[in-house]
Amino acid sequence: MSPSSTEPFAHSEQRAVASLASLYATRMLGLFMVLPVMMVEGQKLAHATPALLGLAMGVYGLTQALLQIPAGALSDRFGRKPVIITGLLIFALGSLIAALSDSVYGVILGRALQGAGAIASAIMALVTDLTREEHRMKAMASIGASIGLSFSVALIAGPWLASIGGLESIFGLTAVLALLGVAVTIWVIPTPTARPHRDASAVWPEVKKQLSNRQLWPLNIGIFVLHALMVAIFVAIPLQLINAGLSSQDHTWMYLPVLLLAFVLMVPFIIVAEKRRQMKSVVLFGAIAIVVSLMSMSVSSQLWHWALALLVYFWGFNLMEASLPSWLSKVAPAGAKGSAMGIYSSMQFFGAFIGGSAGGLMLSAYGHIALFVSLALLVLAWAVMVMKTPAPKHLTSLRMTSTNALSDAQLAELQALQGVAEVTWLADEAAIYLKISADEFDYSAAQIIINPAQASA
């Protein structure tokens, strides 16, 4: 028996989750919209070279990776909303600098500031403050869906906006959206009391501990590789589509059907991964699909070749993007999910930085064929690593609270319950973190063990 997850979201929870998802999505939209257009529109900037334009595409990932975990820690100390507002203002400033820049160096500075507005961890922590435990997974899933949607919208909207007003229009819109986000944060999102929650927030001692957790590193490396190649391929793809006969203002019409079909193809595989417990097989399938697509890109010359290669690529990308964080949540130790996810997210953004900067350099030195083949070999090497990695047990995290400290006997009783894999008691939070099999776990029995006085009353 599980908590009363059948109870509907309260109106305040719905408003909070929708507002926070919109903040996350619009910020990611601003980061991603330049990917499909930078290598074309950026040529109009002074001092532009493929290497510098690649750096402009990916530099946001460096500042984001460096500040992601510290920003979350600051939100614990100074409050979620002050950190979110400050981050959005820094993001807006970076967008404005990039919009007004005639030089590639100004755009690089603006993109670095965009990444410095690192609010992701503060948003996730605020979600935990504003939602009840039984609705937490649905709230986090809504945030995750908004990120995926923003990436798809960005690839479609970026070429369209660039055809209207160039890079200035993209960066200008991004600045406006960031300022609107400040208004939403101040006047729409409630201001709750911050609640420590180690499944949502990173904790420095736990971060250090999870850096040595070997179960997590195949996933950390996987998201690094996935986002490195996501930025790197867009160093080359726009120019190759133009060479194949598709004008830059029409790239939207290439991405739109490809992304829609890739999403449709992804859904049944995600169901198989979760319901039939085939997570590892689905992740490997996604990796092999990406390898095939990258090798196809290295020899594509006609538009239909590119359409097919992009379809297979986004199919594999979507499978891995959805599955890797789910895998991580299954293997992260009880009470360490927030810290494990902080490392994972930092690796994701660092991958984007390396992908943009190294992709631009490789394109300049060796051309697009060498770039695509190298990326394919990189993904293949990671797939070999995953083949040797044990498949995850299908466990989920659960946080329960107690009005009193738990004895060793109570902790042993919890550990002995059917479906319980791990138990961690944190006195500073008055909370118990468990890793459980949701199909087997008896929530009522656990409540009786934790609070026997309330049960007898």
Side-chain angles (χ1 to χ4, degrees):
M1 189 185 305
S2 62
S4 53
S5 57
T6 55
E7 292 182 11
F9 267 122
H11 176 71
S12 59
E13 290 176 312
Q14 292 177 346
R15 186 181 70 173
V17 171
S19 301
L20 290 168
S22 69
L23 287 184
Y24 209 127
T26 52
R27 182 177 176 280
M28 300 308 289
L29 185 69
L31 291 173
F32 290 150
M33 272 196 293
V34 300
L35 293 185
V37 300
M38 179 67 80
M39 296 304 293
V40 177
E41 295 295 326
Q43 293 178 6
K44 302 172 185 176
L45 297 169
H47 314 297
T49 65
L52 288 174
L53 291 174
L55 179 60
M57 289 170 66
V59 71
Y60 78 89
L62 177 61
T63 47
Q64 177 83 25
L66 293 175
L67 296 174
Q68 172 98 345
I69 294 176
L74 288 174
S75 79
D76 288 335
R77 183 172 182 179
F78 298 108
R80 317 297 189 204
K81 290 175 73 171
V83 169
I84 292 172
I85 291 168
T86 302
L88 287 170
L89 290 174
I90 293 172
F91 185 79
L93 176 62
S95 301
L96 187 60
I97 289 173
L100 297 176
S101 294
D102 296 323
S103 164
V104 69
Y105 295 110
V107 173
I108 291 171
L109 173 61
R111 290 284 283 173
L113 283 172
Q114 283 186 324
I119 61 172
S121 54
I123 287 178
M124 291 303 188
L126 189 50
V127 170
T128 67
D129 297 338
L130 291 169
T131 56
R132 289 169 289 170
E133 192 74 39
E134 57 265 32
H135 297 306
R136 192 76 31 75
M137 289 297 291
K138 289 186 287 185
M140 294 298 187
S142 298
I143 301 288
S146 74
I147 299 170
L149 180 62
S150 68
F151 177 70
S152 298
V153 171
L155 294 189
I156 296 166
W160 176 71
L161 280 172
S163 69
I164 296 173
L167 288 174
E168 299 91 337
S169 64
I170 294 177
F171 288 124
L173 176 62
T174 299
V176 171
L177 289 175
L179 294 176
L180 288 174
V182 172
V184 168
T185 304
I186 294 173
W187 288 299
V188 178
I189 299 173
T191 307
T193 302
R195 294 183 292 174
H197 196 305
R198 293 203 183 189
D199 273 351
S201 302
V203 181
W204 281 114
E206 193 63 50
V207 168
K208 294 176 183 177
K209 184 177 178 181
Q210 295 311 313
L211 282 170
S212 61
N213 187 339
R214 293 186 179 183
Q215 280 190 298
L216 301 180
W217 275 104
L219 309 176
N220 294 335
I221 294 171
I223 199 64
F224 171 90
V225 169
L226 190 65
H227 280 256
L229 69 93
M230 180 195 75
V231 178
I233 65 170
F234 281 105
V235 170
I237 284 176
L239 295 174
Q240 295 307 309
L241 291 179
I242 292 173
N243 291 339
L246 188 67
S247 62
S248 59
Q249 60 264 33
D250 291 329
H251 286 192
T252 290
W253 308 113
M254 170 69 82
Y255 296 129
L256 178 58
V258 163
L259 288 166
L260 288 175
L261 186 53
F263 177 81
V264 171
L265 292 172
M266 172 196 72
V267 172
F269 282 77
I270 296 301
I271 293 172
V272 168
E274 294 290 352
K275 298 296 184 183
R276 299 189 181 181
R277 305 191 173 186
Q278 295 295 319
M279 181 73 67
K280 179 177 176 179
S281 298
V282 168
V283 167
L284 283 171
F285 179 86
I288 296 305
I290 290 175
V291 171
V292 170
S293 69
L294 291 170
M295 294 302 294
S296 299
M297 289 178 191
S298 70
V299 296
S300 294
S301 58
Q302 300 183 38
L303 282 180
W304 73 268
H305 295 162
W306 279 104
L308 186 58
L310 286 169
L311 173 61
V312 175
Y313 168 77
F314 284 117
W315 185 12
F317 178 88
N318 289 341
L319 286 173
M320 289 181 61
E321 183 78 358
S323 298
L324 288 178
S326 178
W327 187 334
L328 181 136
S329 71
K330 290 173 173 55
V331 299
K337 181 179 173 183
S339 299
M341 189 58 75
I343 298 168
Y344 175 91
S345 297
S346 296
M347 289 293 291
Q348 168 185 326
F349 288 111
F350 189 57
F353 166 65
I354 295 298
S357 52
L361 288 170
M362 180 166 283
L363 182 69
S364 297
Y366 304 107
H368 71 279
I369 294 176
L371 175 62
F372 289 132
V373 171
S374 298
L375 292 172
L377 294 175
L378 182 62
V379 178
L380 186 61
W382 177 78
V384 171
M385 179 192 299
V386 173
M387 289 178 187
K388 300 177 181 180
T389 302
K393 297 177 181 179
H394 277 248
L395 302 174
T396 189
S397 299
L398 177 65
R399 181 182 187 269
M400 303 178 72
T401 58
S402 175
T403 54
N404 301 301
L406 294 191
S407 66
D408 290 342
Q410 285 174 294
L411 293 174
E413 284 187 75
L414 284 173
Q415 184 69 67
L417 282 178
Q418 186 174 2
V420 174
E422 291 180 49
V423 178
T424 300
W425 160 250
L426 295 174
D428 58 333
E429 292 185 33
I432 309 98
Y433 289 87
L434 304 100
K435 298 291 288 190
I436 63 168
S437 171
D439 296 335
E440 303 173 23
F441 180 68
D442 189 333
Y443 186 81
S444 298
Q447 283 282 32
I448 292 171
I449 295 170
I450 293 169
N451 297 304
Q454 294 180 12
S456 59

